[in-house]
Each structure stands twice: as C-alpha cells, then as structure tokens.
C-alpha cells in the first residue's frame, strides 16, 4: 500500500463481545486460549460455565477469524456473538 492509499483509508476500530459456554473440567485451558488470543479480554465468568469476553481489532475480518479459531478450541462448547461496534478514527 502506498502512502497515498494509507492516507485515503480511514483507520478502523472494532470491538465485539461474546458469551461462551465452556466445559468446566477444562476451564483453565479455555481461559488460557481466550487470554492468548490477540485483542481478547475476559470480563466475567461463572461457576455454571459461562464466560463473557471481547475481542478488539482494526477490522471485522480479524475478529471473525479469531472467533472462528476460538469456537474450535478444546473446552468451548458454544460461542455466541453479542455485540459488535465499529468506529472510524
């Protein structure tokens, strides 16, 4: 990308939140998987196996790829998107 193309492209900020249902026997592994995901942050979890987290990135494609990877991680039974916000800087 040239300098002119970079100037013409607005910078983007995306954040998406997710609720996951996890296998509590693999809680430590799941938490490590989420925490090691670039831009991910865990905000809450409970004894019933629910975890709430966000992923931040500079485009929604990256968030989608990371969420798809996490869906397949050991111990994650289901993953549901809750919210997605997009801001141009």
């Amino acid at each position: 990308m040239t300098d002119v193309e970079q100037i013409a492209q607005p910078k983007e900020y995306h954040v998406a939140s997710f609720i996951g249902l996890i296998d509590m026997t693999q809680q430590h592994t799941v938490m490590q998987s989420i925490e090691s995901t670039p831009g991910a942050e865990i905000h809450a979890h409970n004894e019933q196996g629910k975890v709430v987290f966000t992923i931040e990135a500079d485009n929604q494609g990256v968030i989608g790829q990371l969420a798809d990877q996490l869906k397949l991680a050991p111990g994650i039974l289901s993953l549901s998107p809750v919210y997605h916000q997009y801001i141009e800087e």
Side-chain angles (χ1 to χ4, degrees):
M1 197 179 276
T2 67
D3 290 337
V4 174
E5 288 174 323
Q6 287 178 342
I7 293 170
Q9 296 285 337
K11 292 188 178 199
E12 298 177 358
Y13 168 78
H14 293 259
V15 62
S17 62
F18 300 87
I19 295 178
L21 181 61
I22 67 171
D23 177 350
M24 288 300 289
T25 64
Q26 298 184 45
Q27 179 181 11
H28 182 72
T29 302
V30 171
M31 297 302 185
Q32 282 186 324
S33 294
I34 295 170
E35 290 171 348
S36 67
T37 299
E41 181 180 351
I42 297 171
H43 298 281
H45 58 90
N46 67 19
E47 303 294 322
Q48 289 76 39
K50 291 183 183 175
V51 59
V52 177
F53 65 96
T54 55
I55 301 175
E56 299 177 15
D58 60 2
N59 69 65
Q60 77 181 47
V62 170
I63 290 176
Q65 290 172 351
L66 295 171
D68 285 345
Q69 290 173 6
L70 283 171
K71 277 195 306 193
L72 302 175
I76 295 184
L77 304 174
S78 69
L79 189 61
S80 300
V82 177
Y83 180 77
H84 176 226
Q85 182 176 4
Y86 158 73
I87 299 171
E88 281 187 14
E89 293 181 6

